Amino acid sequence: MTDKFKTVADSQVTISELMLPSHSNFNGKIHGGYILSLLDQIAFACASKHSGVYCVTASVDTVDFLNPIEIGELVTMKASVNYIGNSSMVIGIRVEAENIQTGACKHCNSSYFTMVAKDSTGKSLKVPGLILRSKDEIRRFAKSIKRYENKAKRKKEFNETDFIHEEYLHIQELDNVKIEQ
């Protein structure tokens, strides 16, 4: 890929879909797994639009389900590139559901997918840089850096922790766990 730059707006993608009974779970709400599938699709579209090449999902950094989505609501997902690495992109996605009878809208989900640009052999490719034009775009970029730093810190802490059984016997004191040996 070239070293050119693109604006956030150049790669933004919006999709809308009516939620059908076939998308629901046993509780009559839209199944979270179905929403995750749509999120992955829009993240792919946004990342591929920015990079101009095929992209794969490297990680799903955050998925916050804030409000349930009802059958019959119109779900709109808005995706944009929030951060650019060498071959990776963080795609921020906002999910809103609209009651098409009343017009009432609610924020249902916020998600961050890390996507990586690949060539036909699976080799990672450099992606275009990002032109930030608004305070919101700068804020999203900075928050992505902070999320990345926190993720690296959690990973390091987890890998450094040695789970020696005897050191964790105090968990028996918790009300919701029972250790049987």
Side-chain angles (χ1 to χ4, degrees), residues 4-133:
K4 65 180 180 172
F5 287 78
K6 288 185 174 182
T7 66
V8 172
D10 289 335
S11 306
Q12 288 177 325
V13 177
T14 301
I15 61 171
S16 294
E17 184 173 330
L18 183 65
M19 295 294 105
L20 304 174
S22 61
H23 304 141
S24 67
N25 60 23
F26 294 111
N27 199 28
K29 308 297 182 192
I30 300 306
H31 197 285
Y34 184 72
I35 298 301
L36 286 170
S37 173
L38 293 176
L39 289 167
D40 194 48
Q41 289 175 41
I42 195 170
F44 168 82
C46 183
S48 295
K49 191 173 178 183
H50 182 81
S51 66
V53 297
Y54 180 77
C55 294
V56 297
T57 305
S59 70
V60 180
D61 302 321
T62 304
V63 179
D64 293 323
F65 290 101
L66 306 172
N67 289 296
I69 299 171
E70 307 292 336
I71 295 168
E73 289 185 323
L74 182 65
V75 169
T76 300
M77 297 186 176
K78 300 173 185 177
S80 62
V81 178
N82 287 2
Y83 174 83
I84 295 293
N86 187 35
S87 62
S88 66
M89 299 154 277
V90 173
I91 309 300
I93 308 164
R94 181 180 174 93
V95 180
E96 295 177 345
E98 177 185 0
N99 180 315
I100 57 176
Q101 294 172 334
T102 67
C105 287
K106 60 186 174 186
H107 179 202
C108 296
N109 187 299
S110 291
S111 302
Y112 302 95
F113 280 57
T114 300
M115 307 297 288
V116 177
K118 298 284 187 175
D119 68 13
S120 61
T121 67
K123 181 179 176 235
S124 296
L125 295 172
K126 184 168 177 54
V127 298
L130 194 61
I131 299 169
L132 305 174
R133 290 191 168 156

Side-chain angles (χ1 to χ4, degrees), residues 142-159:
K143 281 191 163 193
S144 292
I145 293 171
K146 188 67 173 171
R147 259 191 311 281
Y148 179 78
E149 291 170 350
N150 287 338
K151 183 178 175 183
K153 181 180 174 184
R154 283 190 313 271
K155 185 176 180 181
K156 182 177 185 242
E157 288 173 353
F158 184 79
N159 289 337

